[in-house]
Amino acid sequence: MKLIGEKVVLRPIVMVDAPRFVKWFNDPAVHRFLTRRKINLKEERVWIRSLPKKKDQVHFAIDTRDGVHIGSVGLSIIKRDNCAIFGIVIGDKRYWNHGCGTEAMKLVVDYGFRRLKLHRIELDVYGYNARGIHVYRRLGFKFEGKKRERIRWKGKYYDEIQMGILRNEWQP
Ligand SMILES: CC(C)(COP(=O)(O)OP(=O)(O)OC[C@H]1O[C@@H](n2cnc3c(N)ncnc32)[C@H](O)[C@@H]1OP(=O)(O)O)[C@@H](O)C(=O)NCCC(=O)NCCS
């Protein structure tokens, strides 16, 4: 399945994407914002191979409209509670601040609420990820709490911020 926007196309993740993910997740400028830290090609291939079997995982590759693979976005669904944990990475740094992340998020949050009928979508974001926090707030995610000094980065501690949005708050 594909979700098509003005700047990006979301499509299933396939095996040939694996080396790009490995490159991105091993780049400190990218993985400093992520819980998923360094990985190797074998681990990434195992993860991609497992995706079609995982009914509680909805992950898309993010392509530009002209077909450049720049990242991924997805939901980990907690069926019992009808909610999901949101995650996104634009791994190709040349595409940061071009509006691609915002549009990919909109497409997936909309998919989660309107197609999957989720009640709630939540995420954790590191306190120093000002761009991420800005984009989530703009889409309507609310601050729900923080874990104080949960994150250690280069010897310093930072808060982890918890944010969430309910279906009746979503404005497509
Ligand atoms: C966070 C991320 C998904 C955002 O996607 P993006 O395509 O770069 O973001 P967009 O271009 O859609 O929007 C960026 C917005 O943040 C703003 N911004 C950029 N740097 C900022 C900063 N340091 N502080 C506050 N706002 C900032 C931009 O001005 C823009 O806002 P505007 O449209 O109101 O001008 C992407 O940068 C990314 O993947 N980063 C690395 C991994 C990551 O942080 N993942 C999320 C983990 S919770």
Side-chain angles (χ1 to χ4, degrees), residues 79-119:
K79 197 162 182 263
R80 193 193 68 172
D81 300 318
N82 196 26
C83 76
I85 300 165
F86 177 88
I88 184 166
V89 58
I90 305 287
D92 188 329
K93 292 174 287 190
R94 291 169 299 176
Y95 288 87
W96 285 356
N97 299 318
H98 284 57
C100 296
T102 298
E103 191 179 62
M105 282 181 217
K106 274 188 200 163
L107 289 168
V108 164
V109 171
D110 200 61
Y111 177 80
F113 284 136
R114 294 215 286 191
R115 299 271 283 277
L116 302 180
K117 307 281 183 223
L118 294 172
H119 178 65

Side-chain angles (χ1 to χ4, degrees), residues 133-169:
I133 293 168
H134 173 84
V135 170
Y136 298 139
R137 284 187 69 180
R138 185 167 56 185
L139 287 187
F141 280 80
K142 295 186 191 311
F143 286 109
E144 296 186 328
K146 67 179 178 188
K147 291 184 186 165
R148 294 170 306 132
E149 301 192 7
R150 169 64 179 76
I151 306 304
R152 184 163 63 175
W153 177 254
K154 293 195 170 165
K156 283 183 72 178
Y157 292 96
Y158 299 87
D159 295 341
E160 184 175 53
I161 314 287
Q162 296 159 320
M163 302 183 80
I165 183 168
L166 305 179
R167 182 166 35 173
N168 63 13
E169 295 165 345

Side-chain angles (χ1 to χ4, degrees), residues 27-32 37-38 126 128 151-158:
D27 177 351
V30 177
H31 77 64
R32 69 186 286 249
R37 291 279 157 94
K38 296 185 179 178
Y126 296 172
Y128 52 77
I151 306 304
R152 184 163 63 175
W153 177 254
K154 293 195 170 165
K156 283 183 72 178
Y157 292 96
Y158 299 87

Side-chain angles (χ1 to χ4, degrees), residues 21 24-25 30 34 62 70-73 87-91 96:
F21 283 118
W24 298 333
F25 288 129
V30 177
L34 305 175
I62 306 172
I70 60 169
S72 71
V73 60
I88 184 166
V89 58
I90 305 287
W96 285 356

